[in-house]
Amino acid sequence: MNNRQPITNTIQGLANVFKDRHNLDVMAASKDEPKVKIHEALGKVSYVYEKIRNAVDYQEEHLIRKNAIARMLKRRIISRERGEVIAEPLIRELIRAGYLKNDYFPERRIPDIERIIRKYVTLVNQVTPVHENFQEKNKTFNWIISVAAFEIEEYLAPSIKNDALVEAMYKIIRPNLDLVQEVPHPEDRDIQIYIAIHRALIKSDQAILRYHLIYYYAPEWRYIALEEIPEFANKLPELIVRIDQQINNKMSDRLFRYMKKFSPLFIILRDVLSQNSYNGEEILSDPKKLEKAIRTACQKRYTQASTKLSRGVIRSIIYIFLTKTIMAFVLELPYEAIFLKQIKLLPLAINVAFHPFLMFLIATSIRVPAEQNTKKIIQGIQEIVYDPQEKEILKKREEKFKGSPLLNAFFTFLYFAAFIITFGTIIWLLRILEFSIVSGVLFVLFLCIISFFGMRLRNNAKELVIITKRENILLVIFDFFTLPILRAGRWITRHTSKVNIFMFITVSYTHLRAHETSLHLVCRLLL
């Protein structure tokens, strides 16, 4: 009996991308050709340093190598290395830090990295001198380096499949959205939807979005000649403003939340195609085989979510414990001993032990999805693949992404009220427990950070949740009064850099052994 059903052209094209493995790995090398190799012993300290840094510098796992490239690139450019000099040392540093496999990257690929770096170094030299204001110059420099880092990351690991997945989701979801009232210009509507899908589906950060938008607005940048860069540099400031306005659009968060409803379908569809790349079309065209493949992919994802949750909790607790203990000895104890002439043990003990315990409680309250969620994913993917006339998951809905000014003002008032009540209550309790000013500031600071970490862990665990549950009124009230803490935690993590004494010691030791210049060492410690 033939159970095959026709699949849509969009999904057919997506399946073909996953089936075609030709030239996806630029680092593939023959056994005999020269590869970049380092002595294993030399890489151990850098590897440990990066592990410590990643443990205390909370970030999405898929962004870790890109962000490391940005740090390394920024440091080498500041220390005045030329593009020809940066490329190979950068590759070697990535290998030492464990971001690339040793004796794997072919030497013939180094000139390609050199060309990318030289292009951006030339642009930096053309653009940054025109800014007399140091803050503006630094902002432009960081903007350019963030894009350069992702272009190098994209060269090392091309995101062909992710790009195809984003394109497929765009083609399927776009017809159901009408943003005429919110965004008058048709091109801007398309860009906003594209940005929301990128953020919801593959968790793109600002650097990744900037990379895609700079090539959208200025496709000539990809193959630009060095002598043409001065002309390009003249229009870059305007281009930066235009791109950042798109990324930071006021309604982007609402549009992002809308896309999150459908991203689990495409995440699991990607897994099905990845796990069955050679016979993907056969599985997609057979509903029973597709259902079985979806269940397998979901179960694997649920298991990975549990593992990732445990790893995230451990990283967070390490960050909390190390930084809290150090701050207690560096700030809290000296302040109380010198200015208060006594050390209060209860606030000190609470400050050291409470936040790791809070992180543990948050972790135990997080649950991965269950069978009912899997059934909804199966239904949604079948709607994507076969495009039936009657849809439930993908049916067109009336959505409003632009808020009413009156409602916005009302909710702003409620937020400030919640802010005053929440932090006022916390301060009142800390005074009863006889916290000093320093102890109280540290307690509130880490409470905000841990709450935000916990929210991110919960969101990661709920990445595949497609069913929506009616919220309990008590939970709604609780969320309302904890919102100011979460907002403060997000602001702190975005606008402050974490300092860890273990980083300082490890980096100093690594680079003193390597006999690097003092300027390079200072740059490493700061960046």
Side-chain angles (χ1 to χ4, degrees), residues 41-220:
L42 295 178
K44 288 183 178 179
V45 175
S46 291
Y47 178 78
V48 171
Y49 159 73
E50 290 295 330
K51 286 296 182 183
I52 293 174
R53 179 164 196 143
N54 293 333
V56 300
D57 188 8
Y58 196 89
Q59 54 187 315
E60 295 287 353
E61 289 186 14
H62 70 290
L63 302 176
I64 289 177
R65 184 168 69 176
K66 174 187 72 66
N67 293 341
I69 291 172
R71 281 191 285 107
M72 297 171 186
L73 191 60
K74 186 186 301 183
R75 168 168 33 86
R76 293 183 180 279
I77 292 175
I78 290 176
S79 59
R80 302 299 182 185
E81 294 181 9
R82 300 185 306 277
E84 293 84 355
V85 180
I86 293 176
E88 186 171 351
L90 176 66
I91 295 298
R92 292 185 178 277
E93 187 172 358
L94 289 171
I95 294 173
R96 286 198 301 269
Y99 295 117
L100 289 176
K101 289 190 290 185
N102 193 17
D103 197 19
Y104 180 71
F105 188 86
E107 291 182 359
R108 61 183 168 83
R109 295 291 182 181
I110 292 177
D112 295 336
I113 304 293
E114 289 175 356
R115 279 190 288 272
I116 295 173
I117 294 174
R118 196 181 308 121
K119 180 174 71 169
Y120 284 94
V121 169
T122 304
L123 183 63
V124 166
N125 293 335
Q126 289 291 326
V127 174
T128 52
V130 303
H131 293 288
E132 295 183 1
N133 184 287
F134 174 79
Q135 187 175 1
E136 284 298 320
K137 181 183 293 188
N138 191 52
K139 183 179 177 181
T140 302
F141 174 74
N142 289 331
W143 197 101
I144 295 172
I145 295 304
S146 71
V147 179
F150 184 70
E151 183 154 337
I152 294 172
E153 168 70 8
E154 181 73 1
Y155 179 84
L156 297 175
S159 55
I160 297 174
K161 293 180 180 179
N162 278 344
D163 291 343
L165 196 70
V166 169
E167 186 68 22
M169 183 171 175
Y170 176 87
K171 289 179 179 178
I172 291 168
I173 300 298
R174 180 66 182 94
N176 294 334
L177 283 180
D178 185 5
L179 303 178
V180 175
Q181 294 183 352
E182 291 86 355
V183 185
H185 198 282
E187 182 186 38
D188 291 343
R189 292 199 288 270
D190 293 338
I191 291 174
Q192 283 303 307
I193 294 172
Y194 178 82
I195 289 173
I197 291 174
H198 247 278
R199 291 177 59 203
L201 184 56
I202 59 176
K203 298 181 180 178
S204 296
D205 64 355
Q206 285 199 342
I208 298 175
L209 295 173
R210 287 167 178 169
Y211 167 84
H212 286 285
L213 288 178
I214 198 171
Y215 281 121
Y216 174 81
Y217 286 121
E220 70 275 12

Side-chain angles (χ1 to χ4, degrees), residues 31 70 121 126-127 129 169 185 187 192 219 235 253 293 356 359 373 384 399 417 481 498 502 511:
K31 292 182 180 180
V121 169
Q126 289 291 326
V127 174
M169 183 171 175
H185 198 282
E187 182 186 38
Q192 283 303 307
K235 65 178 183 180
D253 284 342
M359 189 72 251
N373 189 72
I384 289 172
E399 299 284 346
F481 285 105
K498 294 96 176 173
F502 299 112
H511 288 278

Side-chain angles (χ1 to χ4, degrees), residues 266-469:
F266 293 88
I267 291 172
I268 295 299
L269 180 60
R270 174 179 57 193
D271 290 350
V272 169
L273 292 172
S274 296
Q275 295 162 18
N276 306 276
S277 57
Y278 289 111
N279 61 338
E281 185 178 349
E282 177 186 344
I283 289 176
L284 291 175
S285 61
D286 188 327
K288 290 186 177 180
K289 290 183 179 180
L290 178 59
E291 179 177 343
K292 182 179 179 181
I294 293 171
R295 288 187 178 278
T296 301
C298 282
Q299 191 54 51
K300 187 175 181 179
R301 275 280 177 172
Y302 297 160
T303 303
Q304 290 174 348
S306 297
T307 304
K308 189 175 181 180
L309 174 61
S310 301
R311 189 164 60 244
V313 171
I314 292 172
R315 286 177 58 197
S316 299
I317 290 177
I318 290 173
Y319 163 70
I320 304 159
F321 184 76
L322 289 179
T323 51
K324 283 295 295 296
T325 303
I326 291 171
M327 285 192 174
F329 282 99
V330 172
L331 298 176
E332 193 170 352
L333 286 177
Y335 173 80
E336 293 186 357
I338 296 173
F339 295 98
L340 303 183
K341 306 301 182 183
Q342 62 175 332
I343 296 176
K344 298 179 180 179
L345 297 180
L346 179 60
L348 180 63
I350 292 174
N351 247 347
V352 172
F354 175 78
H355 299 92
F357 180 68
L358 175 62
M359 189 72 251
F360 173 77
L361 290 180
I362 292 174
T364 56
S365 68
I366 301 174
R367 297 288 183 270
V368 295
E371 171 62 19
Q372 189 62 31
N373 189 72
T374 302
K375 291 180 179 178
K376 282 289 186 183
I377 289 178
I378 292 171
Q379 181 182 355
I381 292 179
Q382 287 177 340
E383 291 180 6
I384 289 172
V385 174
Y386 306 127
D387 193 24
Q389 290 185 348
E390 296 295 327
K391 298 184 180 70
E392 180 179 338
I393 307 296
L394 297 177
K395 64 182 179 183
K396 190 168 184 177
R397 299 174 174 85
E398 292 294 330
E399 299 284 346
K400 292 185 178 180
F401 300 99
K402 192 174 183 180
S404 163
L406 186 61
L407 283 176
N408 288 341
F410 176 71
F411 283 116
T412 300
F413 170 78
L414 288 181
Y415 172 76
F416 278 112
F419 184 92
I420 293 171
I421 294 172
T422 299
F423 283 101
T425 302
I426 292 172
I427 293 171
W428 175 70
L429 289 173
L430 294 180
R431 292 185 64 182
I432 291 178
L433 295 171
E434 298 184 331
F435 274 65
S436 67
I437 293 177
V438 174
S439 300
V441 169
L442 290 178
F443 181 90
V444 174
L445 175 69
F446 281 91
L447 175 65
C448 295
I449 294 174
I450 288 310
S451 299
F452 180 65
F453 281 4
M455 182 190 70
R456 291 182 65 170
L457 289 173
R458 179 178 286 108
N459 289 341
N460 287 336
K462 293 171 62 178
E463 181 182 43
L464 298 177
V465 174
I466 194 170
I467 57 176
T468 55
K469 294 181 179 179

Side-chain angles (χ1 to χ4, degrees), residues 472-483:
N472 183 293
I473 183 63
L474 294 178
L475 187 59
V476 171
I477 295 173
F478 176 80
D479 289 343
F480 174 73
F481 285 105
T482 55
L483 179 61

Side-chain angles (χ1 to χ4, degrees), residues 2-13:
N2 188 2
N3 295 322
R4 296 177 66 88
Q5 289 193 26
I7 63 179
T8 65
N9 292 334
T10 299
I11 299 303
Q12 176 72 64

